[in-house]
Amino acid sequence: MGTEIPTSPEISEALLLPEPNKTATVILDQDEHVPEWKEQITIRGLVVSALLGTLFCIITHKLNLTVGIIPSLNVAAGLLGFFFVKSWTGFLSKLGFTVKPFTKQENTVIQTCVVACYGLAFSGGFGSYLIAMDEKTYKLIGADYPGNHAEDVINPGLWWMVGFLFVVSFLGLFSLVPLRKVMVLDYKLTYPSGTATAMLINSFHTNTGAELAANQVKCLGKYLSLSLVWSCFKWFFSGVGDACGFDNFPTLGLTLFKNTFYFDFSPTYVGCGLICPHIVNCSVLLGAIISWGFLWPFVSQHAGDWYPADLGSNDFKGLYGYKVFIAIAIILGDGLYNLVKIIAVTVKELCSNSSRHLNLPVVANVVDDEASEILLVKKKRDEVFLKDRIPLGFAVSGYVGLAAISTATIPLIFPPLKWYFVLCSYFIAPALAFCNSYGTGLTDWSLASTYGKIGLFIIASVVGTDGGVIAGLAACGVMMSIVSTAADLMQDFKTGYLTLSSAKSMFVSQLVGTAMGCIIAPLTFYLFWSAFDIGDPNGPYKAPYAVIFREMAILGIEGFAELPKHCLALCYGFFVAALIVNLLRDITPPKISQFIPIPMAMAVPFYIGAYFAIDMFVGTVILFVWERINRKDADDYAGAVASGLICGDGIWTIPSAILSILRINPPICMYFKPALAS
């Protein structure tokens, strides 16, 4: 799986409470009519969810198959859901039809359904463990590479991918449902992305926020149109092959272009730069400078000594091996550090919560009027959240039943992954899902891919050379799906709690969205698979994590014996560096740690290249200047601009894929080469 980047600021619980002198808002919240849970799920909402789920799956696939960095799209889902339904109801009203009012609960259900749908395009492994099984990745690593066997190949197939998602994707939803009160009410976890989305949806459905919401929707529509037109314009110059068009424009000169330093005019990556935190974008650029600016040119100078000079550009015994394995070392160092940190924080918080409960005062102090109003709002939210209960027996029986079906089915899809390995995974999965959901609530950072990699290494090493690669990759998918969907569900429970949405409607919309994703995510991926050359290291859809995940599985079986000279030493160095950088981020004061880079973000360009880092940095510079000129406008509209840029480019992918399937090529090839010497 790619790297999912948290994009919302850290939000403390205090920000969820009304500000002073806003008693009217509190009273309005207290007296608000809350629809029954069945009324919150509407036909129009499900139709909009399916449309947006398809769009967001396409966007996620495109990002996963190009750079592997996926920004959180929760806020964009809430904004676009509001835009679609408001446009539809406004159109029907002008025609004289009576339409049902659009409530914030319906808006929340749409957002939840969309996130559940596109989440499977992310956690379903279409850019990582599933595509790592295919023949192209096998050939890219090399048939003579130790541990890379021709038997360990399963090419993408629409039906088996749909079946696999159906048998693994629902378990995470049932694993933590009984703990929703504990996570949201007792521990008061923040879930920053879910909280930010709830605040946005609440603002849309108040009189004071209606004007801002309308302006945000107009802004999104404008930049979506510009991005779509620009992407269409770029297509005409992209010719045949991979060296044409604006995607290969040597904006910083031909010398830097050879080292992948150029701006490729991508609205998607610029939008990612606008929506990701500054430190993420700067970390990506720093990683590009370290790797493509210094490290790879230095290693290249030792060709013929450290590795044979006549190797191909994609041979793992040459420079390509350094790129892949150093990236893996940084990713593992960052992931394992954060895993240990979050488990430690979880245990500490659980212990402190227990001690607090043991020492609660019997009689509370008298509170003033404002605090009383705040408590009334909290009481209303608690009542709505707890009103429609999801029976414990239903959750347990659902998990057990799905686990039994999955245990029997998965070995039919992936024969090397025996039923007892699947069963063991389902015994420990709820505990890991709890850790991941708790950590996400604290930090907004889901470590689903880290848990998946741990499962990958363990199962691959246990199974061994006879099917270990496929077994490890499949086990990675099983574990990743459970812990990822569990964290997404709890994040959406937080959103529902803050928007007075029923927990039952949240759970049902998650089920519906997951079912949509099990069909839409494989279908949209198959569109890419049929239209584009997925996995070509010199093409636009490199699928960078496919090679990384297959190499991880091979490492679990074979070890490091075949790596080029000094590669292992460099891997150890960067692994330790990732641990040290993370430690520095935690022990230094916030005014210093905010400038310390994030190793996970730095690792991505080590393997892929520097071009997307330039685009994202352009986005972060635009946002930085915008914040200095007009902070309020930047806060209000940056998300809408970013969403428009990303969605417009994502929409163009559909006609582009259709043209490619029909073998209609762009008419012009814009190509650059050095001028001839006079």
Side-chain angles (χ1 to χ4, degrees):
M1 180 170 65
T3 304
E4 186 170 26
I5 300 295
T7 59
S8 58
E10 291 189 10
I11 299 174
S12 65
E13 194 71 24
L15 290 181
L16 312 181
L17 304 177
E19 297 174 21
N21 303 322
K22 290 196 177 178
T23 308
T25 306
V26 176
I27 294 172
L28 178 65
D29 195 30
Q30 180 69 7
D31 296 339
E32 179 183 349
H33 168 69
V34 178
E36 291 297 316
W37 75 270
K38 291 181 180 178
E39 297 174 5
Q40 297 174 20
I41 304 172
T42 63
I43 297 297
R44 71 185 180 193
L46 295 179
V47 172
V48 168
S49 298
L51 292 172
L52 288 180
T54 302
L55 172 61
F56 279 33
C57 278
I58 290 170
I59 292 169
T60 304
H61 286 318
K62 181 170 183 178
L63 290 169
N64 234 345
L65 295 171
T66 50
V67 298
I69 288 184
I70 318 292
S72 176
L73 299 173
N74 294 42
V75 171
L79 177 60
L80 281 168
F82 178 84
F83 166 69
F84 271 87
V85 177
K86 273 294 185 182
S87 301
W88 176 245
T89 55
F91 175 71
L92 290 180
S93 297
K94 288 180 181 179
L95 294 179
F97 292 96
T98 302
V99 293
K100 185 180 177 181
F102 181 43
T103 63
K104 64 183 180 184
Q105 287 81 12
E106 185 180 357
N107 202 161
T108 305
V109 165
I110 292 171
Q111 180 267 336
T112 299
C113 202
V114 172
V115 170
C117 181
Y118 94 79
L120 290 186
F122 180 67
S123 65
F126 298 101
S128 55
Y129 61 84
L130 283 189
I131 198 171
M133 302 177 185
D134 78 340
E135 187 175 4
K136 186 171 291 183
T137 307
Y138 158 73
K139 289 181 177 177
L140 188 62
I141 293 175
D144 59 340
Y145 193 84
N148 190 35
H149 305 304
E151 312 87 69
D152 294 326
V153 169
I154 299 179
N155 285 313
L158 186 58
W159 295 113
W160 75 254
M161 290 191 299
V162 170
F164 176 69
L165 289 184
F166 265 108
V167 297
V168 301
S169 300
F170 292 91
L171 280 103
L173 303 181
F174 287 89
S175 62
L176 291 189
V177 165
L179 298 179
R180 64 187 178 87
K181 176 181 177 295
V182 174
M183 305 286 265
V184 176
L185 298 186
D186 297 346
Y187 295 152
K188 295 181 175 61
L189 295 175
T190 306
Y191 290 102
S193 286
T195 297
T197 306
M199 294 169 72
L200 179 76
I201 291 174
N202 282 334
S203 73
F204 286 165
H205 297 272
T206 61
N207 293 329
T208 54
E211 183 180 352
L212 174 61
N215 290 335
Q216 286 176 325
V217 166
K218 288 178 184 176
C219 181
L220 184 145
K222 180 171 114 177
Y223 282 92
L224 186 150
S225 302
L226 286 173
S227 176
L228 180 60
V229 170
W230 172 247
S231 298
C232 177
F233 176 77
K234 283 205 309 177
W235 177 82
F236 282 93
F237 297 89
S238 57
V240 179
D242 301 318
C244 304
F246 286 92
D247 291 342
N248 295 279
F249 198 103
T251 42
L252 303 177
L254 287 169
T255 302
L256 286 175
F257 178 80
K258 291 177 182 177
N259 281 348
T260 72
F261 283 94
Y262 58 92
F263 177 64
D264 74 347
F265 299 91
S266 169
T268 295
Y269 303 149
V270 174
C272 287
L274 279 167
I275 208 171
C276 286
H278 293 306
I279 187 61
V280 171
N281 299 312
C282 292
S283 298
V284 171
L285 182 63
L286 179 61
I289 292 171
I290 290 173
S291 56
W292 292 89
F294 296 99
L295 185 59
W296 304 149
F298 171 76
V299 173
S300 298
Q301 291 175 0
H302 293 81
D305 179 16
W306 290 9
Y307 60 92
D310 57 347
L311 295 177
S313 60
N314 301 316
D315 195 311
F316 278 84
K317 296 178 182 177
L319 180 62
Y320 195 66
Y322 294 93
K323 295 177 183 178
V324 171
F325 287 102
I326 291 176
I328 290 174
I330 298 171
I331 291 169
L332 288 179
D334 185 281
L336 291 176
Y337 178 91
N338 282 286
L339 176 63
V340 172
K341 169 188 164 184
I342 286 177
I343 290 175
V345 170
T346 300
V347 173
K348 180 183 176 183
E349 288 291 321
L350 290 174
C351 294
S352 61
N353 269 307
S354 300
S355 63
R356 280 201 294 270
H357 287 313
L358 291 173
N359 297 289
L360 288 176
V362 177
V363 180
N365 294 328
V366 177
V367 294
D368 58 22
D369 291 342
E370 185 179 325
S372 177
E373 294 292 348
I374 291 172
L375 290 174
L376 286 174
V377 173
K378 184 180 184 305
K379 182 180 178 183
K380 175 73 177 267
R381 286 172 172 163
D382 291 354
E383 287 176 354
V384 172
F385 189 68
L386 298 174
K387 178 185 174 185
D388 299 312
R389 296 185 178 277
I390 302 168
L392 174 63
F394 172 75
V396 173
S397 59
Y399 186 84
V400 172
L402 288 170
I405 295 170
S406 185
T407 301
T409 306
I410 289 178
L412 301 177
I413 303 173
F414 306 112
L417 187 62
K418 304 301 182 184
W419 65 269
Y420 41 85
F421 291 129
V422 180
L423 189 61
C424 290
S425 299
Y426 290 146
F427 272 117
I428 65 172
L432 298 180
F434 173 81
C435 290
N436 191 46
S437 298
Y438 199 102
T440 303
L442 293 172
T443 66
D444 208 31
W445 194 288
S446 174
L447 295 177
S449 62
T450 301
Y451 291 102
K453 288 165 194 159
I454 293 171
L456 185 156
F457 275 115
I458 293 173
I459 298 298
S461 60
V462 170
V463 175
T465 55
D466 187 16
V469 170
I470 293 295
L473 292 170
C476 172
V478 170
M479 194 60 66
M480 220 157 78
S481 295
I482 294 173
V483 298
S484 178
T485 52
D488 288 344
L489 174 66
M490 214 53 66
Q491 184 109 251
D492 287 324
F493 272 145
K494 181 71 172 186
T495 304
Y497 170 75
L498 296 172
T499 58
L500 296 177
S501 302
S502 165
K504 190 173 285 187
S505 70
M506 292 286 94
F507 183 69
V508 172
S509 63
Q510 273 275 349
L511 288 174
V512 173
T514 302
M516 287 181 180
C518 289
I519 298 171
I520 293 172
L523 280 172
T524 48
F525 171 76
Y526 220 70
L527 178 70
F528 280 88
W529 182 261
S530 303
F532 305 112
D533 189 11
I534 304 299
D536 179 3
N538 300 314
Y541 296 99
K542 298 176 176 65
Y545 281 92
V547 169
I548 287 176
F549 271 68
R550 190 174 183 92
E551 275 296 331
M552 286 182 185
I554 294 172
L555 275 180
I557 299 168
E558 295 290 326
F560 299 91
E562 295 298 317
L563 296 182
K565 190 185 291 186
H566 302 305
C567 182
L568 189 57
L570 287 170
C571 288
Y572 284 145
F574 278 96
F575 179 86
V576 172
L579 298 178
I580 293 172
V581 170
N582 272 303
L583 183 63
L584 289 174
R585 286 178 57 82
D586 286 337
I587 64 175
T588 53
K591 63 181 181 181
I592 298 174
S593 64
Q594 64 179 328
F595 298 109
I596 298 177
I598 300 171
M600 184 75 77
M602 291 176 64
V604 180
F606 269 68
Y607 173 64
I608 301 167
Y611 59 93
F612 79 96
I614 304 291
D615 292 8
M616 291 179 69
F617 189 71
V618 168
T620 212
V621 168
I622 292 171
L623 180 61
F624 181 81
V625 173
W626 193 357
E627 288 171 338
R628 293 300 175 272
I629 295 172
N630 191 327
R631 180 74 189 216
K632 185 178 184 305
D633 269 6
D635 291 342
D636 289 342
Y637 297 109
V641 173
S643 301
L645 292 173
I646 294 170
C647 292
D649 200 22
I651 290 172
W652 172 249
T653 302
I654 300 174
S656 172
I658 293 171
L659 290 170
S660 179
I661 291 171
L662 296 175
R663 299 293 184 263
I664 299 175
N665 296 317
I668 303 169
C669 174
M670 183 173 66
Y671 175 73
F672 296 87
K673 63 180 182 179
L676 295 174
S678 56

